[in-house]
PDB file of all heavy atoms in Angstrom:
ATOM      1  N   ALA A  19     -10.484   2.279  -1.340  1.00  0.00           N
ATOM      2  CA  ALA A  19     -10.215   1.187  -0.399  1.00  0.00           C
ATOM      3  C   ALA A  19     -10.580  -0.160  -1.069  1.00  0.00           C
ATOM      4  O   ALA A  19     -10.131  -1.249  -0.642  1.00  0.00           O
ATOM      5  CB  ALA A  19     -10.995   1.351   0.897  1.00  0.00           C
ATOM      6  N   ALA A  20     -11.419  -0.125  -2.102  1.00  0.00           N
ATOM      7  CA  ALA A  20     -11.747  -1.347  -2.853  1.00  0.00           C
ATOM      8  C   ALA A  20     -10.637  -1.703  -3.804  1.00  0.00           C
ATOM      9  O   ALA A  20     -10.133  -2.820  -3.826  1.00  0.00           O
ATOM     10  CB  ALA A  20     -13.053  -1.208  -3.605  1.00  0.00           C
ATOM     11  N   SER A  83       0.144 -13.654  -4.785  1.00  0.00           N
ATOM     12  CA  SER A  83      -0.842 -13.175  -5.765  1.00  0.00           C
ATOM     13  C   SER A  83      -1.686 -12.057  -5.184  1.00  0.00           C
ATOM     14  O   SER A  83      -2.538 -11.506  -5.856  1.00  0.00           O
ATOM     15  CB  SER A  83      -1.759 -14.351  -6.144  1.00  0.00           C
ATOM     16  OG  SER A  83      -2.419 -14.842  -4.991  1.00  0.00           O
ATOM     17  N   GLY A  84      -1.491 -11.715  -3.945  1.00  0.00           N
ATOM     18  CA  GLY A  84      -2.288 -10.655  -3.312  1.00  0.00           C
ATOM     19  C   GLY A  84      -2.376 -10.924  -1.813  1.00  0.00           C
ATOM     20  O   GLY A  84      -1.869 -11.931  -1.309  1.00  0.00           O
ATOM     21  N   ALA A  85      -3.093 -10.061  -1.114  1.00  0.00           N
ATOM     22  CA  ALA A  85      -3.103 -10.200   0.327  1.00  0.00           C
ATOM     23  C   ALA A  85      -3.938 -11.365   0.809  1.00  0.00           C
ATOM     24  O   ALA A  85      -3.704 -11.885   1.905  1.00  0.00           O
ATOM     25  CB  ALA A  85      -3.633  -8.892   0.961  1.00  0.00           C
ATOM     26  N   THR A  86      -4.883 -11.842   0.004  1.00  0.00           N
ATOM     27  CA  THR A  86      -5.640 -13.012   0.435  1.00  0.00           C
ATOM     28  C   THR A  86      -4.651 -14.190   0.594  1.00  0.00           C
ATOM     29  O   THR A  86      -4.691 -14.907   1.594  1.00  0.00           O
ATOM     30  CB  THR A  86      -6.743 -13.365  -0.590  1.00  0.00           C
ATOM     31  OG1 THR A  86      -7.678 -12.263  -0.592  1.00  0.00           O
ATOM     32  CG2 THR A  86      -7.477 -14.634  -0.233  1.00  0.00           C
ATOM     33  N   GLU A  87      -3.774 -14.363  -0.379  1.00  0.00           N
ATOM     34  CA  GLU A  87      -2.773 -15.405  -0.260  1.00  0.00           C
ATOM     35  C   GLU A  87      -1.811 -15.134   0.878  1.00  0.00           C
ATOM     36  O   GLU A  87      -1.468 -16.044   1.642  1.00  0.00           O
ATOM     37  CB  GLU A  87      -2.008 -15.553  -1.609  1.00  0.00           C
ATOM     38  CG  GLU A  87      -1.018 -16.691  -1.532  1.00  0.00           C
ATOM     39  CD  GLU A  87      -0.107 -16.773  -2.782  1.00  0.00           C
ATOM     40  OE1 GLU A  87      -0.540 -16.382  -3.886  1.00  0.00           O
ATOM     41  OE2 GLU A  87       1.037 -17.222  -2.611  1.00  0.00           O
ATOM     42  N   ASN A  89      -2.301 -13.481   3.625  1.00  0.00           N
ATOM     43  CA  ASN A  89      -2.955 -13.735   4.916  1.00  0.00           C
ATOM     44  C   ASN A  89      -3.083 -15.253   5.175  1.00  0.00           C
ATOM     45  O   ASN A  89      -2.832 -15.685   6.307  1.00  0.00           O
ATOM     46  CB  ASN A  89      -4.329 -13.073   4.924  1.00  0.00           C
ATOM     47  CG  ASN A  89      -4.246 -11.565   5.098  1.00  0.00           C
ATOM     48  OD1 ASN A  89      -3.230 -11.037   5.544  1.00  0.00           O
ATOM     49  ND2 ASN A  89      -5.306 -10.871   4.760  1.00  0.00           N
ATOM     50  N   HIS A 112     -10.741  -8.749   7.783  1.00  0.00           N
ATOM     51  CA  HIS A 112     -11.141  -9.064   6.406  1.00  0.00           C
ATOM     52  C   HIS A 112     -11.454 -10.550   6.299  1.00  0.00           C
ATOM     53  O   HIS A 112     -10.818 -11.361   6.998  1.00  0.00           O
ATOM     54  CB  HIS A 112      -9.977  -8.680   5.474  1.00  0.00           C
ATOM     55  CG  HIS A 112     -10.321  -8.799   4.034  1.00  0.00           C
ATOM     56  ND1 HIS A 112     -10.062  -9.966   3.295  1.00  0.00           N
ATOM     57  CD2 HIS A 112     -10.931  -7.933   3.174  1.00  0.00           C
ATOM     58  CE1 HIS A 112     -10.479  -9.776   2.066  1.00  0.00           C
ATOM     59  NE2 HIS A 112     -10.971  -8.564   1.948  1.00  0.00           N
ATOM     60  N   SER A 114     -10.477 -12.776   4.419  1.00  0.00           N
ATOM     61  CA  SER A 114      -9.279 -13.617   4.133  1.00  0.00           C
ATOM     62  C   SER A 114      -8.532 -13.970   5.399  1.00  0.00           C
ATOM     63  O   SER A 114      -7.753 -14.933   5.435  1.00  0.00           O
ATOM     64  CB  SER A 114      -8.352 -12.907   3.127  1.00  0.00           C
ATOM     65  OG  SER A 114      -7.984 -11.631   3.584  1.00  0.00           O
ATOM     66  N   MET A 158      -5.575  -6.464  12.042  1.00  0.00           N
ATOM     67  CA  MET A 158      -5.428  -5.603  10.845  1.00  0.00           C
ATOM     68  C   MET A 158      -4.954  -4.232  11.291  1.00  0.00           C
ATOM     69  O   MET A 158      -5.338  -3.740  12.344  1.00  0.00           O
ATOM     70  CB  MET A 158      -6.719  -5.564  10.021  1.00  0.00           C
ATOM     71  CG  MET A 158      -7.852  -4.850  10.697  1.00  0.00           C
ATOM     72  SD  MET A 158      -9.477  -5.095   9.961  1.00  0.00           S
ATOM     73  CE  MET A 158      -9.266  -5.426   8.277  1.00  0.00           C
ATOM     74  N   VAL A 160      -5.443  -1.365   9.543  1.00  0.00           N
ATOM     75  CA  VAL A 160      -6.547  -0.406   9.269  1.00  0.00           C
ATOM     76  C   VAL A 160      -7.747  -1.197   8.736  1.00  0.00           C
ATOM     77  O   VAL A 160      -7.601  -1.991   7.801  1.00  0.00           O
ATOM     78  CB  VAL A 160      -6.122   0.621   8.215  1.00  0.00           C
ATOM     79  CG1 VAL A 160      -7.284   1.534   7.818  1.00  0.00           C
ATOM     80  CG2 VAL A 160      -4.963   1.469   8.701  1.00  0.00           C
ATOM     81  N   ASN A 161      -8.889  -0.982   9.324  1.00  0.00           N
ATOM     82  CA  ASN A 161     -10.087  -1.676   8.855  1.00  0.00           C
ATOM     83  C   ASN A 161     -10.563  -1.070   7.516  1.00  0.00           C
ATOM     84  O   ASN A 161     -10.658   0.120   7.369  1.00  0.00           O
ATOM     85  CB  ASN A 161     -11.200  -1.589   9.896  1.00  0.00           C
ATOM     86  CG  ASN A 161     -12.468  -2.217   9.416  1.00  0.00           C
ATOM     87  OD1 ASN A 161     -13.390  -1.533   8.986  1.00  0.00           O
ATOM     88  ND2 ASN A 161     -12.511  -3.541   9.412  1.00  0.00           N
ATOM     89  N   ASN A 162     -10.871  -1.955   6.555  1.00  0.00           N
ATOM     90  CA  ASN A 162     -11.215  -1.531   5.219  1.00  0.00           C
ATOM     91  C   ASN A 162     -12.626  -0.909   5.144  1.00  0.00           C
ATOM     92  O   ASN A 162     -12.878  -0.161   4.196  1.00  0.00           O
ATOM     93  CB  ASN A 162     -11.123  -2.687   4.234  1.00  0.00           C
ATOM     94  CG  ASN A 162     -11.775  -3.951   4.759  1.00  0.00           C
ATOM     95  OD1 ASN A 162     -11.473  -4.391   5.868  1.00  0.00           O
ATOM     96  ND2 ASN A 162     -12.666  -4.532   3.969  1.00  0.00           N
ATOM     97  N   ASP A 189      -2.370  -7.698   9.016  1.00  0.00           N
ATOM     98  CA  ASP A 189      -2.919  -7.469   7.697  1.00  0.00           C
ATOM     99  C   ASP A 189      -2.858  -6.010   7.463  1.00  0.00           C
ATOM    100  O   ASP A 189      -3.649  -5.207   7.997  1.00  0.00           O
ATOM    101  CB  ASP A 189      -4.379  -7.974   7.689  1.00  0.00           C
ATOM    102  CG  ASP A 189      -5.088  -7.611   6.348  1.00  0.00           C
ATOM    103  OD1 ASP A 189      -4.527  -6.849   5.535  1.00  0.00           O
ATOM    104  OD2 ASP A 189      -6.233  -8.089   6.156  1.00  0.00           O
ATOM    105  N   VAL A 191      -2.957  -4.304   4.560  1.00  0.00           N
ATOM    106  CA  VAL A 191      -3.386  -3.917   3.198  1.00  0.00           C
ATOM    107  C   VAL A 191      -3.787  -2.446   3.133  1.00  0.00           C
ATOM    108  O   VAL A 191      -3.434  -1.725   2.225  1.00  0.00           O
ATOM    109  CB  VAL A 191      -4.589  -4.824   2.753  1.00  0.00           C
ATOM    110  CG1 VAL A 191      -5.244  -4.254   1.555  1.00  0.00           C
ATOM    111  CG2 VAL A 191      -4.042  -6.214   2.513  1.00  0.00           C
ATOM    112  N   GLN A 192      -4.579  -1.970   4.104  1.00  0.00           N
ATOM    113  CA  GLN A 192      -5.091  -0.611   4.054  1.00  0.00           C
ATOM    114  C   GLN A 192      -4.134   0.388   4.770  1.00  0.00           C
ATOM    115  O   GLN A 192      -4.395   1.595   4.740  1.00  0.00           O
ATOM    116  CB  GLN A 192      -6.471  -0.499   4.658  1.00  0.00           C
ATOM    117  CG  GLN A 192      -7.501  -1.402   4.027  1.00  0.00           C
ATOM    118  CD  GLN A 192      -7.987  -0.918   2.647  1.00  0.00           C
ATOM    119  OE1 GLN A 192      -7.676   0.214   2.194  1.00  0.00           O
ATOM    120  NE2 GLN A 192      -8.699  -1.801   1.905  1.00  0.00           N
ATOM    121  N   VAL A 206       0.639  -7.348   2.513  1.00  0.00           N
ATOM    122  CA  VAL A 206       0.304  -6.144   1.754  1.00  0.00           C
ATOM    123  C   VAL A 206      -0.216  -6.547   0.367  1.00  0.00           C
ATOM    124  O   VAL A 206       0.016  -7.675  -0.081  1.00  0.00           O
ATOM    125  CB  VAL A 206       1.490  -5.136   1.615  1.00  0.00           C
ATOM    126  CG1 VAL A 206       1.887  -4.617   2.979  1.00  0.00           C
ATOM    127  CG2 VAL A 206       2.672  -5.762   0.927  1.00  0.00           C
ATOM    128  N   SER A 207      -0.854  -5.592  -0.293  1.00  0.00           N
ATOM    129  CA  SER A 207      -1.459  -5.890  -1.617  1.00  0.00           C
ATOM    130  C   SER A 207      -1.174  -4.752  -2.576  1.00  0.00           C
ATOM    131  O   SER A 207      -1.282  -3.585  -2.227  1.00  0.00           O
ATOM    132  CB  SER A 207      -2.951  -6.084  -1.432  1.00  0.00           C
ATOM    133  OG  SER A 207      -3.581  -6.292  -2.678  1.00  0.00           O
ATOM    134  N   GLY A 208      -0.862  -5.093  -3.853  1.00  0.00           N
ATOM    135  CA  GLY A 208      -0.520  -4.093  -4.813  1.00  0.00           C
ATOM    136  C   GLY A 208      -1.684  -3.185  -5.261  1.00  0.00           C
ATOM    137  O   GLY A 208      -1.508  -1.987  -5.388  1.00  0.00           O
ATOM    138  N   HIS A 209      -2.840  -3.811  -5.448  1.00  0.00           N
ATOM    139  CA  HIS A 209      -3.910  -3.048  -6.079  1.00  0.00           C
ATOM    140  C   HIS A 209      -4.563  -1.973  -5.209  1.00  0.00           C
ATOM    141  O   HIS A 209      -5.374  -1.193  -5.674  1.00  0.00           O
ATOM    142  CB  HIS A 209      -4.987  -3.973  -6.726  1.00  0.00           C
ATOM    143  CG  HIS A 209      -5.895  -4.676  -5.789  1.00  0.00           C
ATOM    144  ND1 HIS A 209      -7.164  -4.225  -5.523  1.00  0.00           N
ATOM    145  CD2 HIS A 209      -5.731  -5.794  -5.038  1.00  0.00           C
ATOM    146  CE1 HIS A 209      -7.744  -5.048  -4.651  1.00  0.00           C
ATOM    147  NE2 HIS A 209      -6.902  -6.015  -4.355  1.00  0.00           N
ATOM    148  N   LYS A 210      -4.099  -1.911  -3.933  1.00  0.00           N
ATOM    149  CA  LYS A 210      -4.613  -0.807  -3.083  1.00  0.00           C
ATOM    150  C   LYS A 210      -3.687   0.404  -3.107  1.00  0.00           C
ATOM    151  O   LYS A 210      -3.979   1.427  -2.489  1.00  0.00           O
ATOM    152  CB  LYS A 210      -4.783  -1.293  -1.634  1.00  0.00           C
ATOM    153  CG  LYS A 210      -5.499  -2.610  -1.438  1.00  0.00           C
ATOM    154  CD  LYS A 210      -6.996  -2.522  -1.636  1.00  0.00           C
ATOM    155  CE  LYS A 210      -7.600  -3.855  -1.356  1.00  0.00           C
ATOM    156  NZ  LYS A 210      -9.039  -3.854  -1.392  1.00  0.00           N
ATOM    157  N   ILE A 217      -0.971  -9.061  -7.437  1.00  0.00           N
ATOM    158  CA  ILE A 217       0.357  -9.023  -6.804  1.00  0.00           C
ATOM    159  C   ILE A 217       0.253  -8.494  -5.385  1.00  0.00           C
ATOM    160  O   ILE A 217      -0.476  -7.566  -5.090  1.00  0.00           O
ATOM    161  CB  ILE A 217       1.372  -8.173  -7.650  1.00  0.00           C
ATOM    162  CG1 ILE A 217       2.777  -8.265  -7.106  1.00  0.00           C
ATOM    163  CG2 ILE A 217       0.904  -6.715  -7.809  1.00  0.00           C
ATOM    164  CD1 ILE A 217       3.465  -9.587  -7.284  1.00  0.00           C
ATOM    165  N   SER A 325     -17.695  -2.886   2.770  1.00  0.00           N
ATOM    166  CA  SER A 325     -16.611  -3.562   2.105  1.00  0.00           C
ATOM    167  C   SER A 325     -17.014  -4.152   0.770  1.00  0.00           C
ATOM    168  O   SER A 325     -18.003  -4.823   0.657  1.00  0.00           O
ATOM    169  CB  SER A 325     -16.111  -4.679   3.011  1.00  0.00           C
ATOM    170  OG  SER A 325     -15.334  -5.559   2.272  1.00  0.00           O
ATOM    171  N   ALA A 326     -16.169  -3.893  -0.245  1.00  0.00           N
ATOM    172  CA  ALA A 326     -16.428  -4.474  -1.572  1.00  0.00           C
ATOM    173  C   ALA A 326     -16.400  -5.968  -1.552  1.00  0.00           C
ATOM    174  O   ALA A 326     -17.102  -6.631  -2.345  1.00  0.00           O
ATOM    175  CB  ALA A 326     -15.341  -3.979  -2.549  1.00  0.00           C
ATOM    176  N   CYS A 327     -15.666  -6.564  -0.572  1.00  0.00           N
ATOM    177  CA  CYS A 327     -15.537  -8.022  -0.513  1.00  0.00           C
ATOM    178  C   CYS A 327     -16.835  -8.627   0.060  1.00  0.00           C
ATOM    179  O   CYS A 327     -17.048  -9.821  -0.078  1.00  0.00           O
ATOM    180  CB  CYS A 327     -14.393  -8.424   0.326  1.00  0.00           C
ATOM    181  SG  CYS A 327     -12.838  -7.793  -0.256  1.00  0.00           S
TER     182      CYS A 327
HETATM  183  N1  PMP T   4      -7.229  -7.397   3.779  1.00  0.00           N
HETATM  184  C1  PMP T   4      -7.827  -6.218   3.656  1.00  0.00           C
HETATM  185  C2  PMP T   4      -7.938  -5.315   4.884  1.00  0.00           C
HETATM  186  C3  PMP T   4      -8.373  -5.787   2.431  1.00  0.00           C
HETATM  187  O1  PMP T   4      -8.989  -4.626   2.338  1.00  0.00           O
HETATM  188  C4  PMP T   4      -8.297  -6.668   1.344  1.00  0.00           C
HETATM  189  C5  PMP T   4      -8.909  -6.268   0.008  1.00  0.00           C
HETATM  190  N2  PMP T   4     -10.249  -5.906   0.065  1.00  0.00           N
HETATM  191  C6  PMP T   4      -7.628  -7.900   1.491  1.00  0.00           C
HETATM  192  C7  PMP T   4      -7.116  -8.225   2.724  1.00  0.00           C
HETATM  193  C8  PMP T   4      -7.492  -8.891   0.358  1.00  0.00           C
HETATM  194  O2  PMP T   4      -6.521  -8.380  -0.536  1.00  0.00           O
HETATM  195  P1  PMP T   4      -6.420  -8.931  -2.055  1.00  0.00           P
HETATM  196  O3  PMP T   4      -7.530  -8.297  -2.819  1.00  0.00           O
HETATM  197  O4  PMP T   4      -5.043  -8.469  -2.492  1.00  0.00           O
HETATM  198  O5  PMP T   4      -6.491 -10.419  -1.985  1.00  0.00           O
END
Side-chain angles (χ1 to χ4, degrees):
S83 60
T86 296
E87 183 186 329
N89 285 341
H112 185 267
S114 55
M158 67 194 335
V160 174
N161 176 260
N162 46 308
D189 172 352
V191 167
Q192 303 287 350
V206 297
S207 178
H209 73 99
K210 311 285 183 175
I217 185 70
S325 165
C327 300

